[in-house]
Each structure stands twice: as structure tokens, then as C-alpha cells.
Amino acid sequence: MLTPETYVDGLFAADEDWVGVRERLAANDMPDISVEPGYGRLLTLLVRASGVRDALEIGALGGYSGICLARGMAAGGSLVSLELKPEFAEVARSSMEAAGFGGVVEYRLGDAKLSLAALAEEGRKFDFFFIDADKGGYPDYLEWAIKLARPGAIIAADNTLLRGKTIDQTRNGPSVQAIRAFNEAIARDERLIGAMLPAYDGLALAVVK
């Protein structure tokens, strides 16, 4: 029986870049946990519709989310990608180059919170944020995104359902609690206009007022 996600995915042609990223992940013994193509298409649509000039992603993995963001940018747009592991950043870089976006992205390695603090010190501002990194850091990443946002910037974050753990009241580990706090902030923080999409593994969306 088809799920809504598989039905919708079947309407679209296979994404060759996604296939390539998955092959690189397997070849480098990396986790196959990229954003789903259905939400990748949404990221591209949002970036294009909102005229993003400067985007920031927290968590590069194999580069698929970076590709989706870059697809939506007009000429001259730029992406800063924060990645803890140098070996992951190298795979992401190769994926971006294979997709034709090697000149769009700047990688910053190490603890994302330190990189975010450095960007703030530099006076950098962004129009779009995509958060897909360690789940325990989501509340902090949201605060940094608000701090680094231009008015009207969009924040998107993947895996907000944690494969059902978020809504399972018997699960109360640190990452689960952090994601619940993040989701509540998306819904209630007066600095944001928020929404939650429950398909795949959950996607949070917000506009910074």
C-alpha cells in the first residue's frame, strides 16, 4: 500500500544528484540520512520564491541539502555550510561540485556553535537557514539563526519527529527533550511565524519577524 510520501515521490522524476550523494555516502561508510527528496524540493522552492541571497546550513553530511539550497538561488547567491567532521565536508564538497555548485559553497569545520559565534562576530547575516545536525543542539541553533537572520529570513529544520520519538511520551532522552523544546519554540516564540509539516520525519518552518 502506498503512503502519501511514496505516492508524491512517484510523481517526480528520480533526482540523479540524490542518487549520487547516496553512492558517495555508501562508498565512504557514512550514514544514509540526507534530507528526503520531497523536502529537498521544498527547500529549493522556498529559496527560489523568497529570493535568497545568503543561506546557511548547519550539517553538511553528503551535500544533498546544499545542492537543494543552491538550486533555488539566483546567480551570485552564496551558501555557508557548517560541518563538524572534515571527512564529511569533503564528501559534501565533491557532491556540490558534481552537481555544478562547487563555487557557491563555503565550508566551515568544527563545532557549529563556535562557527556561528564567529559568523556573528563577522557581522554576517542570512536570508535562509537549514538545520540538520545534532538534535541536542537544535534549541541553540534556533537562537543563533534568529540572531543571524535578516528580517523575513526563513528557518527550516529536518527530523523534528525523530522517527516517532518526539511524540512517544515514554521517550525522554536529551535529544528528544531538545527537539520538543525546539518544536515548542517554533510554535510559540513571538519572534517567529512558525509551522510544522509531519510528512517523512517532520520539518519545521519559521519566518523571522
Side-chain angles (χ1 to χ4, degrees):
M1 181 177 179
L2 287 176
T3 66
E5 290 89 347
T6 55
Y7 167 73
V8 172
D9 286 341
L11 297 175
F12 294 84
D15 187 337
E16 294 182 4
D17 290 325
W18 185 67
V19 173
V21 168
R22 296 189 73 194
E23 290 173 349
R24 291 182 194 92
L25 293 176
N28 289 274
D29 198 26
M30 292 168 59
D32 189 4
I33 52 172
S34 301
V35 64
E36 292 289 341
Y39 280 156
R41 289 188 291 270
L42 179 59
L43 293 178
T44 299
L45 184 155
L46 290 171
V47 168
R48 177 63 60 87
S50 55
V52 170
R53 293 171 289 161
D54 302 291
L56 173 68
E57 68 169 353
I58 304 174
L61 191 63
Y64 184 62
S65 58
I67 290 169
C68 295
L69 296 171
R71 284 172 175 168
M73 291 180 183
S78 68
L79 169 66
V80 174
S81 181
L82 310 185
E83 175 54 53
L84 177 64
K85 299 182 178 182
E87 62 272 26
F88 284 17
E90 283 305 309
V91 174
R93 188 190 306 276
S94 67
S95 295
M96 291 288 286
E97 290 174 351
F101 299 116
V104 172
V105 61
E106 169 197 351
Y107 290 99
R108 298 204 178 194
L109 305 180
D111 187 322
K113 295 182 182 68
L114 297 178
S115 295
L116 290 161
L119 290 167
E121 285 290 322
E122 294 165 19
R124 299 287 294 273
K125 294 291 183 179
F126 299 90
D127 310 299
F128 197 99
F129 301 84
F130 182 57
I131 303 170
D132 191 7
D134 59 294
K135 307 313 170 191
Y138 270 40
D140 288 335
Y141 298 149
L142 179 60
E143 286 300 319
W144 277 113
I146 294 170
K147 182 179 294 187
L148 293 169
R150 295 187 179 111
I154 294 173
I155 301 169
D158 198 20
N159 305 123
T160 54
L161 295 180
L162 285 179
R163 293 172 175 78
K165 294 178 185 176
T166 305
I167 60 175
D168 183 348
Q169 296 305 307
T170 69
R171 306 298 290 266
N172 289 292
S175 293
V176 175
Q177 293 186 49
I179 288 294
R180 287 176 181 153
F182 173 87
N183 291 344
E184 290 166 6
I186 291 290
R188 301 172 186 172
D189 194 307
E190 294 183 354
R191 297 169 294 177
L192 304 172
I193 301 170
M196 302 288 295
L197 305 183
Y200 303 103
D201 195 32
L203 188 78
L205 294 172
V207 172
V208 181
K209 294 180 181 178

PDB file of all heavy atoms in Angstrom, residues 44-56:
ATOM      1  N   THR A  44      14.287  23.934  -2.214  1.00  0.00           N
ATOM      2  CA  THR A  44      14.580  24.654  -3.461  1.00  0.00           C
ATOM      3  C   THR A  44      13.479  25.666  -3.769  1.00  0.00           C
ATOM      4  O   THR A  44      13.758  26.820  -4.132  1.00  0.00           O
ATOM      5  CB  THR A  44      14.720  23.661  -4.621  1.00  0.00           C
ATOM      6  OG1 THR A  44      15.804  22.757  -4.344  1.00  0.00           O
ATOM      7  CG2 THR A  44      14.997  24.378  -5.937  1.00  0.00           C
ATOM      8  N   LEU A  45      12.236  25.236  -3.609  1.00  0.00           N
ATOM      9  CA  LEU A  45      11.096  26.125  -3.884  1.00  0.00           C
ATOM     10  C   LEU A  45      11.119  27.340  -2.965  1.00  0.00           C
ATOM     11  O   LEU A  45      10.928  28.488  -3.420  1.00  0.00           O
ATOM     12  CB  LEU A  45       9.802  25.329  -3.710  1.00  0.00           C
ATOM     13  CG  LEU A  45       8.472  26.004  -4.029  1.00  0.00           C
ATOM     14  CD1 LEU A  45       7.444  24.938  -4.400  1.00  0.00           C
ATOM     15  CD2 LEU A  45       7.940  26.813  -2.848  1.00  0.00           C
ATOM     16  N   LEU A  46      11.352  27.125  -1.674  1.00  0.00           N
ATOM     17  CA  LEU A  46      11.343  28.233  -0.721  1.00  0.00           C
ATOM     18  C   LEU A  46      12.483  29.215  -0.994  1.00  0.00           C
ATOM     19  O   LEU A  46      12.295  30.438  -0.907  1.00  0.00           O
ATOM     20  CB  LEU A  46      11.452  27.698   0.702  1.00  0.00           C
ATOM     21  CG  LEU A  46      10.233  26.942   1.237  1.00  0.00           C
ATOM     22  CD1 LEU A  46      10.565  26.276   2.567  1.00  0.00           C
ATOM     23  CD2 LEU A  46       9.037  27.879   1.392  1.00  0.00           C
ATOM     24  N   VAL A  47      13.666  28.676  -1.292  1.00  0.00           N
ATOM     25  CA  VAL A  47      14.800  29.546  -1.602  1.00  0.00           C
ATOM     26  C   VAL A  47      14.508  30.381  -2.839  1.00  0.00           C
ATOM     27  O   VAL A  47      14.757  31.596  -2.858  1.00  0.00           O
ATOM     28  CB  VAL A  47      16.082  28.706  -1.780  1.00  0.00           C
ATOM     29  CG1 VAL A  47      17.203  29.535  -2.387  1.00  0.00           C
ATOM     30  CG2 VAL A  47      16.528  28.127  -0.447  1.00  0.00           C
ATOM     31  N   ARG A  48      13.979  29.755  -3.879  1.00  0.00           N
ATOM     32  CA  ARG A  48      13.674  30.491  -5.106  1.00  0.00           C
ATOM     33  C   ARG A  48      12.581  31.520  -4.875  1.00  0.00           C
ATOM     34  O   ARG A  48      12.691  32.674  -5.314  1.00  0.00           O
ATOM     35  CB  ARG A  48      13.251  29.502  -6.207  1.00  0.00           C
ATOM     36  CG  ARG A  48      12.834  30.155  -7.529  1.00  0.00           C
ATOM     37  CD  ARG A  48      13.977  30.922  -8.189  1.00  0.00           C
ATOM     38  NE  ARG A  48      15.106  30.053  -8.482  1.00  0.00           N
ATOM     39  CZ  ARG A  48      15.222  29.343  -9.605  1.00  0.00           C
ATOM     40  NH1 ARG A  48      14.287  29.400 -10.527  1.00  0.00           N
ATOM     41  NH2 ARG A  48      16.283  28.593  -9.796  1.00  0.00           N
ATOM     42  N   ALA A  49      11.513  31.125  -4.189  1.00  0.00           N
ATOM     43  CA  ALA A  49      10.367  32.020  -4.006  1.00  0.00           C
ATOM     44  C   ALA A  49      10.710  33.226  -3.148  1.00  0.00           C
ATOM     45  O   ALA A  49      10.132  34.307  -3.341  1.00  0.00           O
ATOM     46  CB  ALA A  49       9.203  31.256  -3.385  1.00  0.00           C
ATOM     47  N   SER A  50      11.646  33.061  -2.208  1.00  0.00           N
ATOM     48  CA  SER A  50      11.965  34.156  -1.294  1.00  0.00           C
ATOM     49  C   SER A  50      13.188  34.959  -1.720  1.00  0.00           C
ATOM     50  O   SER A  50      13.601  35.867  -1.003  1.00  0.00           O
ATOM     51  CB  SER A  50      12.152  33.618   0.126  1.00  0.00           C
ATOM     52  OG  SER A  50      13.118  32.593   0.161  1.00  0.00           O
ATOM     53  N   GLY A  51      13.756  34.642  -2.867  1.00  0.00           N
ATOM     54  CA  GLY A  51      14.865  35.436  -3.398  1.00  0.00           C
ATOM     55  C   GLY A  51      16.095  35.426  -2.508  1.00  0.00           C
ATOM     56  O   GLY A  51      16.737  36.462  -2.303  1.00  0.00           O
ATOM     57  N   VAL A  52      16.442  34.267  -1.988  1.00  0.00           N
ATOM     58  CA  VAL A  52      17.560  34.151  -1.040  1.00  0.00           C
ATOM     59  C   VAL A  52      18.883  34.541  -1.697  1.00  0.00           C
ATOM     60  O   VAL A  52      19.215  34.087  -2.788  1.00  0.00           O
ATOM     61  CB  VAL A  52      17.638  32.711  -0.501  1.00  0.00           C
ATOM     62  CG1 VAL A  52      18.923  32.492   0.285  1.00  0.00           C
ATOM     63  CG2 VAL A  52      16.420  32.419   0.368  1.00  0.00           C
ATOM     64  N   ARG A  53      19.635  35.382  -0.994  1.00  0.00           N
ATOM     65  CA  ARG A  53      20.997  35.750  -1.421  1.00  0.00           C
ATOM     66  C   ARG A  53      22.051  34.986  -0.637  1.00  0.00           C
ATOM     67  O   ARG A  53      23.062  34.575  -1.188  1.00  0.00           O
ATOM     68  CB  ARG A  53      21.223  37.250  -1.236  1.00  0.00           C
ATOM     69  CG  ARG A  53      20.384  38.145  -2.145  1.00  0.00           C
ATOM     70  CD  ARG A  53      20.530  39.606  -1.728  1.00  0.00           C
ATOM     71  NE  ARG A  53      19.856  39.865  -0.451  1.00  0.00           N
ATOM     72  CZ  ARG A  53      20.104  40.913   0.323  1.00  0.00           C
ATOM     73  NH1 ARG A  53      21.043  41.785  -0.006  1.00  0.00           N
ATOM     74  NH2 ARG A  53      19.434  41.095   1.437  1.00  0.00           N
ATOM     75  N   ASP A  54      21.819  34.815   0.664  1.00  0.00           N
ATOM     76  CA  ASP A  54      22.801  34.192   1.550  1.00  0.00           C
ATOM     77  C   ASP A  54      22.102  33.143   2.400  1.00  0.00           C
ATOM     78  O   ASP A  54      21.193  33.471   3.166  1.00  0.00           O
ATOM     79  CB  ASP A  54      23.447  35.241   2.460  1.00  0.00           C
ATOM     80  CG  ASP A  54      24.129  36.345   1.670  1.00  0.00           C
ATOM     81  OD1 ASP A  54      25.146  36.055   1.031  1.00  0.00           O
ATOM     82  OD2 ASP A  54      23.619  37.484   1.695  1.00  0.00           O
ATOM     83  N   ALA A  55      22.553  31.905   2.272  1.00  0.00           N
ATOM     84  CA  ALA A  55      21.961  30.805   3.031  1.00  0.00           C
ATOM     85  C   ALA A  55      23.014  30.185   3.935  1.00  0.00           C
ATOM     86  O   ALA A  55      24.213  30.198   3.634  1.00  0.00           O
ATOM     87  CB  ALA A  55      21.391  29.749   2.093  1.00  0.00           C
ATOM     88  N   LEU A  56      22.548  29.608   5.030  1.00  0.00           N
ATOM     89  CA  LEU A  56      23.416  28.936   5.992  1.00  0.00           C
ATOM     90  C   LEU A  56      22.807  27.580   6.318  1.00  0.00           C
ATOM     91  O   LEU A  56      21.615  27.495   6.652  1.00  0.00           O
ATOM     92  CB  LEU A  56      23.527  29.765   7.275  1.00  0.00           C
ATOM     93  CG  LEU A  56      24.260  29.123   8.455  1.00  0.00           C
ATOM     94  CD1 LEU A  56      25.737  28.964   8.158  1.00  0.00           C
ATOM     95  CD2 LEU A  56      24.059  29.947   9.722  1.00  0.00           C
TER      96      LEU A  56
END
